[in-house]
Amino acid sequence: MPLVAAVLAALTAVLLPPVAGPATAATAQSGSNGMSRPVYSYDRAVRESVWVDTGVDGDGDGRADRVAVDIVRPREAAEQGRRVPVIMDASPYYSCCGRGNEGQKKTYDAQGAPVQFPLFYDNYFVPRGYAVVLVDLAGTNRSDGCVDIGGRSDVQSAKSVVDWLNGRARGYRTRTGQDTTEASWTTGAVGMIGKSYDGTVANGVAATGVEGLKTIVPIGAISSWYDYYFAKGAALYDGGPDGLATRVESSEALARCKAVKRALAEGAPRNGDRTPQWDARDYVPDAGNVRASVFVVHGTQDLNVRTKHFGQWWDALAEEGVERKIWLSQTGHVDPFDFRREAWVPTLHRWFDHYLLGYDNGVDREPMADIERAPDQWSTDRVWPPSGTRATALRPAEGPVTGVGTLGLAPAPRGATAEFTDDPKLNEHDWATHVDEATPGKAGFVTPPLTRDLRLSGSSRVDLTVTPSTASAHLSAVLVDLGPATIRDYAARGEGILTLDERSCWGSGTPQDTGCFKRTEADKEQVGHTVFSRGWADLGHYADPAPGRPLT
């Protein structure tokens, strides 16, 4: 299969020899060998709500905001005087949008006590000696304050709960009352987990270096909010952070947080300029503060939170020597519970047992990376990017057929050019389908057919010298693997998974929170080419992300 760059580019990628066949998933160990066992009853668990003082007055009402914290913890442990660690998921989605493949929301009884916790964490881990804590970010569900899309209020919403769990912040039994409560039932060891926005908050809290946060598991998470909304100045969405705030905030916050949303809009101009607001929502520069271990999970075809987010975060953590592990699937924006459930649950179990209970179960000494090569076919690497990786520059040049260039190691003759006329009706699929044809809407460059398997790992950079015909312009670049393959259908509704009717149960349950979830399987597609990497840029930001400038 040839490789294709559908742009005029000097392409830097990292190339590797082929890897060995898929490795089997790690097998679970018994209780004496480092796996906590379900010795506590789930139906008798303590279910309670606490409101924690964040120390932030985001809504400007003259008092510090309190965030709602819903807790499920083993009753027998408390009766026996045993303290337990905490698994925390801080989210803005518990009332507006739901969590998981089935969009579960929090539910409460007539007295306001929590009944259903979304996802499987409570069903599985509470019987094994953990408390599960779900935090409503400021401005959402039952919390005070305002949503600020990755800023101080979002991060402090969760950090203050870590502080409360460690005796450094004040918690109250009600939203407005003065009756305080302490978390005397916990060891203070906290692991944060969550997909998308939830995992993003985990990244942000870890970047504060808060004491007591032992590990985070960010799944499809953002590392820089500027890079979520823009790619080198090019807008990736029609809306901005103020629109997302409107979607997730509570009905009460909708009325009281207009000034906050106005500031969000003003600080995020649609021209793609990087403003101080974005600098305050970039966690990568603070990777040196991270004390927690990090278990990253991401889909390589995630077109919502793109792969740049985990890549730059991973590189920054590596430079700081942070303990870390990674799973990369071929899905889009999908939780591992829905693309590799039978391996994910025991792996996460052992991860939390090690970092929160202190079990020496070897999970920290296992291969660092699990990579999905084809649907449900996984391999492992001791380190990632794998040893033997080297940067390689691939260079475009004119080809034997007019309009179809070559991509190889040799540079093009000085002065060689290629041109195309943008057609906004065409997309990456159109470019890739016709890459070996002379079409006016793209410039494509193709390697000769590869003589052996080739592995690309890490990030790519495209360096361009461009002469546009307009005062402003955007550029897209894609890397394509040409040739037949079976892939996960990441462009379909399930982003690479099919949801089935039958269910599987994980942990204990009650009639109101069963712990049973619909099974899934890989949604496969036969293709003739695969776009596997993408990039965009606004040419007016070629020299500096702030501010852009007209082109001449």
Side-chain angles (χ1 to χ4, degrees):
M1 300 179 184
L3 288 173
V4 177
V7 290
L8 173 61
L11 170 68
T12 301
V14 283
L15 308 180
L16 291 176
V19 297
T24 58
T27 56
Q29 299 177 26
S30 63
S32 61
N33 290 325
M35 291 281 277
S36 57
R37 306 183 73 173
V39 298
Y40 299 113
S41 59
Y42 178 76
D43 57 347
R44 293 191 65 239
V46 176
R47 294 172 177 267
E48 61 186 337
S49 299
V50 172
W51 279 261
V52 172
D53 188 329
T54 66
V56 175
D57 182 13
D59 52 19
D61 65 355
R63 65 182 185 89
D65 302 327
R66 296 180 185 180
V67 291
V69 182
D70 293 319
I71 303 164
V72 180
R73 55 187 176 87
R75 184 178 301 274
E76 296 91 342
E79 292 173 344
Q80 297 163 10
R82 295 178 180 270
R83 297 188 177 191
V84 298
V86 170
I87 296 170
M88 179 195 299
D89 188 341
S91 176
Y93 294 133
Y94 287 129
S95 63
C96 75
C97 317
R99 306 308 298 130
N101 192 32
E102 299 175 49
Q104 291 182 319
K105 299 178 181 180
K106 286 181 179 178
T107 64
Y108 304 89
D109 64 18
Q111 290 71 45
V115 174
Q116 175 180 273
F117 272 41
L119 307 173
F120 76 98
Y121 307 136
D122 58 315
N123 307 92
Y124 187 85
F125 285 105
V126 169
R128 289 166 168 81
Y130 291 84
V132 173
V133 170
L134 304 188
V135 181
D136 297 327
L137 294 186
T140 71
N141 202 17
R142 302 198 296 174
S143 289
D144 299 334
C146 298
V147 179
D148 69 351
I149 310 299
R152 182 188 177 207
S153 180
D154 275 5
V155 173
Q156 188 65 18
S157 292
K159 179 183 178 294
S160 63
V161 178
V162 178
D163 285 332
W164 174 69
L165 293 167
N166 283 273
R168 299 187 299 269
R170 185 166 295 178
Y172 296 88
R173 297 189 182 279
T174 62
R175 186 170 182 173
T176 58
Q178 298 304 310
D179 188 8
T180 61
T181 181
E182 296 180 352
S184 58
W185 44 265
T186 179
T187 63
V190 180
M192 292 187 67
I193 188 170
K195 177 192 166 192
S196 198
Y197 204 135
D198 307 16
T200 303
V201 173
N203 284 341
V205 174
T208 70
V210 61
E211 187 177 351
L213 183 62
K214 302 300 184 181
T215 189
I216 64 171
V217 185
I219 302 166
I222 295 166
S223 59
S224 163
W225 281 92
Y226 176 84
D227 293 324
Y228 180 74
Y229 283 102
F230 299 96
K232 289 191 175 292
L236 299 175
Y237 296 99
D238 292 334
D242 53 314
L244 179 55
T246 299
R247 182 186 178 203
V248 303
E249 66 188 353
S250 65
S251 57
E252 296 94 336
L254 184 63
R256 69 173 179 257
C257 296
K258 293 179 180 179
V260 172
K261 284 191 292 185
R262 185 165 55 250
L264 283 173
E266 293 171 351
R270 300 305 295 160
N271 60 12
D273 287 354
R274 181 162 180 141
T275 63
Q277 175 172 291
W278 296 123
D279 292 336
R281 289 159 173 81
D282 185 353
Y283 314 128
V284 178
D286 294 324
N289 295 333
V290 176
R291 302 181 183 184
S293 63
V294 181
F295 189 169
V296 173
V297 182
H298 218 100
T300 56
Q301 293 288 7
D302 191 337
L303 301 182
N304 180 355
V305 180
R306 291 162 176 83
T307 53
K308 178 177 182 178
H309 288 279
F310 85 81
Q312 60 190 5
W313 184 233
W314 180 270
D315 289 345
L317 295 172
E319 290 181 3
E320 300 296 338
V322 174
E323 287 188 79
R324 60 204 186 283
K325 184 177 179 66
I326 191 167
W327 275 22
L328 295 179
S329 75
Q330 288 194 345
T331 66
H333 199 54
V334 180
D335 193 291
F337 187 73
D338 295 315
F339 65 69
R340 202 187 182 196
R341 186 173 301 179
E342 284 70 20
W344 172 244
V345 175
T347 301
L348 184 65
H349 181 182
R350 296 174 64 239
W351 185 265
F352 281 147
D353 277 358
H354 177 70
Y355 288 101
L356 299 182
L357 289 175
Y359 288 7
D360 184 12
N361 55 23
V363 71
D364 56 322
R365 299 186 293 275
E366 293 175 354
M368 181 181 285
D370 279 33
I371 312 295
E372 188 177 28
R373 302 293 174 202
D376 293 324
Q377 297 181 24
W378 293 79
S379 66
T380 62
D381 290 286
R382 175 58 57 183
V383 296
W384 193 85
S387 57
T389 305
R390 65 182 185 277
T392 303
L394 302 180
R395 304 178 185 278
E398 295 176 337
V401 178
T402 302
V404 181
T406 63
L407 191 65
L409 301 177
R414 183 178 295 274
T417 63
E419 65 180 50
F420 63 92
T421 302
D422 179 55
D423 183 345
K425 296 189 299 294
L426 302 180
N427 58 29
E428 63 180 34
H429 174 74
D430 300 304
W431 305 329
T433 301
H434 303 287
V435 70
D436 53 356
E437 303 172 26
T439 55
K442 58 96 178 63
F445 304 89
V446 188
T447 70
L450 303 180
T451 58
R452 61 182 178 85
D453 287 344
L454 189 68
R455 179 177 178 185
L456 276 73
S457 180
S459 301
S460 300
R461 190 184 76 229
V462 180
D463 295 319
L464 301 166
T465 299
V466 180
T467 303
S469 60
T470 55
S472 64
H474 290 171
L475 192 72
S476 300
V478 298
L479 280 172
V480 186
D481 181 9
L482 287 179
T486 301
I487 66 169
R488 286 185 182 261
D489 189 3
Y490 63 87
R493 181 177 181 180
E495 300 188 50
I497 64 167
L498 291 172
T499 302
L500 309 177
D501 291 331
E502 62 266 26
R503 294 178 177 271
S504 63
C505 301
W506 297 85
S508 304
T510 65
Q512 297 79 24
D513 192 334
T514 64
C516 301
F517 304 86
K518 290 184 177 180
R519 296 182 60 85
T520 65
E521 66 181 18
D523 185 5
K524 301 177 183 179
E525 181 186 22
Q526 303 292 325
V527 296
H529 64 266
T530 307
V531 178
F532 64 88
S533 190
R534 305 159 178 84
W536 303 268
D538 169 56
L539 299 186
H541 290 80
Y542 73 95
D544 189 344
R549 63 196 69 185
L551 302 171
T552 56

